[in-house]
Amino acid sequence: MSTNIQPGLPGLLSATALPATRTAAPIRLLALTTIPVGSQPVAVAVAANGNAYVANANSNDVTVINTATDTVLVPSIPVGTGPNGVAVAPNGKAYVVNGGSNDVTVIDTASNTVLVPSIPVGLTPASVAIAPNGNAYVTNQNSNTVTVISTATDTVVGVPILVGAGPAAVAVAPNGNAYVANSSSGNVTVIDTASNTVLVPSIPVGVGPLGVAIAPNGNAYVSAIASNNVTVINTTTNTVVGAPIPVATQPTGVAVAPNGKAYVVNFGSNDVAVIDTATNSVVCTPIPVGSQPFGVAVAPNGKIYVTNQTSNDVSVIPPFPTLTSISPNQGPTTGGTPVTLTGTNLTGAAVTIGGNPATGVSVNPAGTQITATTPAGALGPATVTVTTDGGCASLVNGFTYVLPVHATSLTATPALAKLFPPHVYFPFLTATLKDVVTGLPVAGQTITFSTGSQVLGTAITNAQGTARLDETLTFPLILANGGYDAKFAGTGTLLASTAHAGVMAP
């Protein structure tokens, strides 16, 4: 496929018919922080000092952002023409790839000044990554090569390495292999950075791969803009893992956080998908960002920085939340149970239990604890989910709904004796059980009658909630003890209750 590349835009965007963009975005809780930068920001990288370096393709400069305060530290550092890639080496140098002037500019991140204005590379360089050996690997889209630069001397090492067609992105795995996403040939080339030779010429992926990142588990995640998916490659065996992971529209940049969450920028749908690299599945709903997002990077503080080309700003996504516990972990199906949730990065969270929103949600200033009240729910276990603008976290079956437990009241009538004629006694002891919450009689429950230490017997409540026990033979014992006791032992939904009745002798 031939490419007709514009500065700041990887060639496939202008050379390939892409699906129509969608404008609707998922509803989020809060508006993300946005930071104005230069014109047409395309790429971003974060230095060890916490500063983010944004390559602005149309204004031919780099904006520096303080990720601690999310404010612009340096509005503009002039570089070459059409900067569209950036990476920071361990020695503190930022390497800016200039797609329009076919060179690389080196910035000192300590002083934010240009160290080397221009290192010539191939035609239309698009991205750069730093290997453990200190070399920078630059993809040249229109040369179909990768140029190697020594970050110690800022000079080109050897000859360009031939890869696939339209190399657009590159990432280096911990084992030292560089993974080059070739946008026009739809594959990934693997380079051995120890020898700077091609180890694997072609690993087929989706159509138009534009982004690649390495996860902590060693897998490479490759986004394909025309396939709307992400391919996973095992960097140990250099084979594809499972089926491609569907994302939203026109995925471009990819970055993986230390917690294993992969952030995939969807250029066409103006949002970011989050993939859990432990399960290779998309989690939560996409996170809306600015207009036509392209690049993404993770800061040491856990925040995610996304460049938005046509809104000329950077969106800041909060760190991904975690959820570790809920207490208490059960309550009645009627809801109304106060609960406390613990975790991290919970600021601005909404809470659902069994898919229903909790009420009275309050988060402490540290973002580590939530208090809320449970909604009504179906009997049985329910999943607890917290959602923030950084993502979502769940405790599967973390809360159990049980039938509501009501208090009961038990009333007993006094034992009676008829003195005339002698020795004729009232024949029954009676006790009536009611549900205090509903005010209704409770039928079908066992009432135990006793006097002193002697159990007289049991009876079942009728439709009026009344249990009756024959006392004809036991009245002398009741009379000797000054009355009797009635007891309801309780059930899973009704609390126990007792009553005492004396003796009346008319």
Side-chain angles (χ1 to χ4, degrees), residues 72-86:
V72 171
L73 187 64
V74 181
S76 174
I77 302 174
V79 291
T81 304
N84 55 8
V86 59

Side-chain angles (χ1 to χ4, degrees), residues 162-165 179-180 182 185-191 198-205 233 238-240:
L162 187 65
V163 290
Y179 290 77
V180 181
N182 303 303
S185 53
N187 58 14
V188 168
T189 298
V190 185
I191 296 172
V198 170
L199 186 65
V200 182
S202 174
I203 302 174
V205 290
I233 296 173
N238 289 321
T239 56
V240 172

Side-chain angles (χ1 to χ4, degrees), residues 47-425:
N49 61 13
N51 291 338
Y53 290 77
V54 180
N56 305 303
N58 275 358
S59 50
N60 301 325
D61 59 9
V62 168
T63 299
V64 185
I65 296 171
N66 181 326
T67 63
T69 61
D70 288 330
T71 56
V72 171
L73 187 64
V74 181
S76 174
I77 302 174
V79 291
T81 304
N84 55 8
V86 59
V88 182
N91 60 13
K93 297 178 185 178
Y95 289 78
V96 182
V97 173
N98 304 305
S101 51
N102 299 326
D103 58 10
V104 171
T105 299
V106 185
I107 295 173
D108 179 4
T109 62
S111 62
N112 289 323
T113 57
V114 172
L115 286 175
V116 182
S118 175
I119 301 174
V121 290
L123 296 177
T124 322
S127 66
V128 56
I130 312 298
N133 61 13
N135 288 341
Y137 288 76
V138 180
T139 61
N140 305 302
Q141 279 198 305
N142 277 0
S143 298
N144 299 330
T145 59
V146 169
T147 297
V148 184
I149 297 172
S150 167
T151 62
T153 62
D154 292 328
T155 57
V156 172
V157 176
V159 298
I161 304 166
L162 187 65
V163 290
V170 58
V172 181
N175 61 12
N177 292 338
Y179 290 77
V180 181
N182 303 303
S183 62
S184 298
S185 53
N187 58 14
V188 168
T189 298
V190 185
I191 296 172
D192 179 355
T193 63
S195 61
N196 287 331
T197 58
V198 170
L199 186 65
V200 182
S202 174
I203 302 174
V205 290
V207 180
L210 287 186
V212 58
I214 310 297
N217 62 14
N219 288 341
Y221 289 75
V222 184
S223 60
I225 190 169
S227 296
N228 296 330
N229 60 27
V230 172
T231 297
V232 183
I233 296 173
N234 183 317
T235 62
T236 300
T237 61
N238 289 321
T239 56
V240 172
V241 177
I245 305 167
V247 288
T249 311
Q250 301 172 18
T252 53
V254 185
V256 183
N259 62 8
K261 299 298 186 293
Y263 293 81
V264 183
V265 175
N266 297 306
F267 176 87
S269 48
N270 298 330
D271 57 29
V272 173
V274 182
I275 294 173
D276 183 348
T277 62
T279 61
N280 286 335
S281 59
V282 174
V283 294
C284 315
T285 58
I287 303 170
V289 289
S291 179
Q292 294 190 339
F294 201 90
V296 58
V298 181
N301 58 17
K303 291 187 282 189
I304 315 302
Y305 291 80
V306 180
T307 59
N308 305 304
Q309 290 188 92
T310 57
S311 52
N312 297 325
D313 55 24
V314 170
S315 295
V316 184
I317 299 173
F320 204 85
T322 66
L323 186 59
T324 56
S325 67
I326 180 171
S327 179
N329 61 6
Q330 71 174 32
T333 55
T334 51
T337 303
V339 292
T340 300
L341 296 84
T342 57
T344 60
N345 304 321
L346 300 175
T347 300
V351 179
T352 61
I353 300 177
N356 300 314
T359 58
V361 176
S362 177
V363 186
N364 69 349
T368 58
Q369 189 176 87
I370 298 173
T371 55
T373 301
T374 63
L379 184 67
T383 295
V384 181
T385 300
V386 294
T387 303
T388 72
D389 279 318
C392 63
S394 296
L395 294 174
V396 177
N397 297 334
F399 187 84
T400 300
Y401 280 106
V402 297
L403 291 173
V405 178
H406 289 183
T408 61
S409 67
L410 192 63
T411 57
T413 59
L416 297 175
K418 289 187 177 182
L419 301 181
F420 301 100
H423 309 298
V424 177
Y425 309 112

Side-chain angles (χ1 to χ4, degrees), residues 450-471:
S450 63
T451 184
S453 61
Q454 179 71 41
V455 174
L456 305 175
T458 61
I460 306 297
T461 56
N462 60 18
Q464 288 73 44
T466 299
R468 304 175 70 186
L469 181 71
D470 189 334
E471 66 164 329

